Amino acid sequence: MADAVRVVIGEDDVLLREGTCRLLEDAGFEVVAQTGDAEEFLRRSLGLHPDVVVVDIQMPPDHEDDGLRAAHELRRQRPEIGVLVLSQYFEEHYMVELIGDRPEGVGYLLKERVGNVEVFIDAVERVASGGSALDPEVVARMLGRRREEGPLDRLSPRERDVLAAMAEGKSNRGIAESLVVTQAAVEKHVTGIFQKLDLSPAADEHRRVLAVLTYLSEPRPRR
């Protein structure tokens, strides 16, 4: 039997922390530590070397972006540990800053998503295995932002659906399952998206996510 995925939780809300712990343990994860302080979270994560951590952005001691800074430091010192951050509100710069130039093993979810057990557990599993997991609502907001006319407007409605799923970190197979279409159809849409957005297709799924996110977060010049 495979060893359980080991998790450290950083969350200062006791009820949410305990609830998150219970959800993870019920799903077969091993929670090796939980704490409500960002500095302690970093110490314990470095010492225990879990497979993945789940951490709130705003935590003591300063109650600002302490959790995010701890996540950055953990990714710097232990790049093999997956990091899933939780945020009360969508702050695009937090997400872009967290991902940086290395989207492997990183995720960003709104706290409300923890209540959707299937989505939350899937995100933890994806990040723990080195993938990416972005909140669907966050991706939808990024795609729906008002911007100057550009390549994004060339996409068909179905291509926008596929792009949203790509930005969440889903594989072609995962996209096909969520949209109830064939994988061959998804591959055709992905090729079309890359062509219309002038993105070079890459075999690596993580670089594909990074390319899409870079495109979506980049300000568009006025014509």
Side-chain angles (χ1 to χ4, degrees), residues 87 89-90 108-114 135 137-138 141:
S87 179
Y89 308 103
F90 171 46
Y108 181 102
L109 289 184
L110 297 178
K111 277 190 174 183
E112 63 192 53
R113 203 65 59 196
V114 177
D135 193 290
E137 183 176 340
V138 169
R141 291 184 191 179

Side-chain angles (χ1 to χ4, degrees), residues 106-169:
V106 66
Y108 181 102
L109 289 184
L110 297 178
K111 277 190 174 183
E112 63 192 53
R113 203 65 59 196
V114 177
N116 188 327
V117 179
E118 183 178 350
V119 171
F120 175 61
I121 295 301
D122 176 69
V124 177
E125 290 176 339
R126 196 185 303 173
V127 172
S129 63
S132 305
L134 301 182
D135 193 290
E137 183 176 340
V138 169
V139 174
R141 291 184 191 179
M142 291 178 70
L143 281 170
R145 289 181 310 176
R146 295 185 61 84
R147 59 176 71 233
E148 298 300 321
E149 183 180 356
L152 195 64
D153 298 296
R154 303 172 190 163
L155 303 184
S156 68
R158 177 56 82 184
E159 287 172 336
R160 290 174 69 89
D161 291 339
V162 171
L163 176 60
M166 285 171 58
E168 289 173 32

